[in-house]
Amino acid sequence: DAGITQSPRHKVTETGTPVTLRCHQTENHRYMYWYRQDPGHGLRLIHYSYGVKDTDKGEVSDGYSVSRSKTEDFLLTLESATSSQTSVYFCAISELAQETQYFGPGTRLLVL
Amino acid sequence: AQTVTQSQPEMSVQEAETVTLSCTYDTSESDYYLFWYKQPPSRQMILVIRQEAYKQQNATENRFSVNFQKAAKSFSLKISDSQLGDAAMYFCAYRNSFLTQGGSEKLVFGKGTKLTVNP
């Protein structure tokens, strides 16, 4: 299994509060991704990174920001959480753009 | 934009039998990748099988095989000798080749098929 961890695994927060989710990998892969999974939508890409300090938006990036200061860590921040951001968040990694993406265990976020 | 459609929200199969999950996709590209991921109740996303569009041979991984019909834009997953541990959500996913101009590294997922395996 790819060495990917996500923290926290579960979080309950209130509307308007900032939230940061962390993805940590031990594979030294260049590419890292954040997806969200919602019923009826499958998984959708939020942001991705193709190197340290190199990031780009996905299809559902509004309300989210990311940072990658080290190869192994990719942070997803909700500046001011809303109830619509209640979801399961998955981190994924791949060595190269064309390679298979491997997923972390997911983080359940509930915004009240 | 590419889309992936899984027309079977739920499927069931008897243990030891064979089941086929359907997936169709829409793209104007000629080079791309297709995947099947499995998501058991633990919610971990697990790669089942991968197919490169330029390869005519269908991919296989032990009891899992695909029927890739490029002209029809169809990518079905066959599970042989189904086991109780195969019960999960199965997601079909598409990704452009990295050679595609302006290509995106994102995976485009279908909405999933819930597979139940009956003992």
Side-chain angles (χ1 to χ4, degrees), chain A residues 9 31 33 35 37 40-45 48 59 88 90 97-105 108, chain B residues 33 35 37 39 42-47 50 91 95-96 98 103-112:
Chain A
R9 294 293 312 279
Y31 286 81
Y33 312 80
Y35 291 86
Q37 183 178 26
H41 288 279
L43 279 79
R44 294 177 291 174
L45 182 67
Y48 69 98
E59 62 183 306
V88 181
F90 285 95
Q98 66 270 31
E99 294 298 320
T100 299
Q101 293 181 22
Y102 294 95
F103 286 78
R108 275 185 171 273
Chain B
Y33 303 90
F35 306 84
Y37 282 90
Q39 187 178 43
S42 66
R43 288 197 169 272
Q44 180 79 42
M45 292 289 287
I46 302 166
L47 176 70
R50 160 186 164 134
F91 291 94
R95 200 188 76 227
N96 280 330
F98 76 106
S104 169
E105 288 77 9
K106 76 173 183 179
L107 285 170
V108 178
F109 284 87
K111 295 182 179 180

Side-chain angles (χ1 to χ4, degrees), chain A residues 40-95:
Chain A
H41 288 279
L43 279 79
R44 294 177 291 174
L45 182 67
I46 304 171
H47 282 280
Y48 69 98
S49 169
Y50 48 96
V52 174
K53 298 186 179 179
D54 292 324
T55 65
D56 205 352
K57 296 180 180 180
E59 62 183 306
V60 289
S61 59
D62 288 348
Y64 301 94
S65 63
V66 291
S67 66
R68 190 166 178 204
S69 58
K70 297 185 290 184
T71 299
E72 57 266 33
D73 289 328
F74 192 33
L75 304 181
L76 177 71
T77 298
L78 291 65
E79 300 290 346
S80 178
T82 68
S83 59
S84 65
Q85 294 175 311
T86 291
S87 188
V88 181
Y89 291 85
F90 285 95
C91 174
I93 66 173
S94 65
E95 186 167 9

Side-chain angles (χ1 to χ4, degrees), chain B residues 14-29:
Chain B
Q14 292 296 125
E15 197 174 4
E17 298 292 308
T18 295
V19 64
T20 298
L21 308 184
S22 300
C23 173
T24 58
Y25 57 95
D26 186 30
T27 184
S28 58
E29 302 297 333

Side-chain angles (χ1 to χ4, degrees), chain B residues 49-65:
Chain B
I49 202 163
R50 160 186 164 134
Q51 175 81 43
E52 289 86 350
Y54 65 87
K55 291 185 178 179
Q56 293 185 345
Q57 187 172 7
N58 289 324
T60 62
E61 284 289 343
N62 302 313
R63 298 182 295 107
F64 298 87
S65 62

Side-chain angles (χ1 to χ4, degrees), chain B residues 22-25 34 67-76:
Chain B
S22 300
C23 173
T24 58
Y25 57 95
L34 295 163
N67 183 6
F68 174 48
Q69 301 289 329
K70 190 172 184 179
K73 297 180 182 175
S74 171
F75 183 61
S76 61

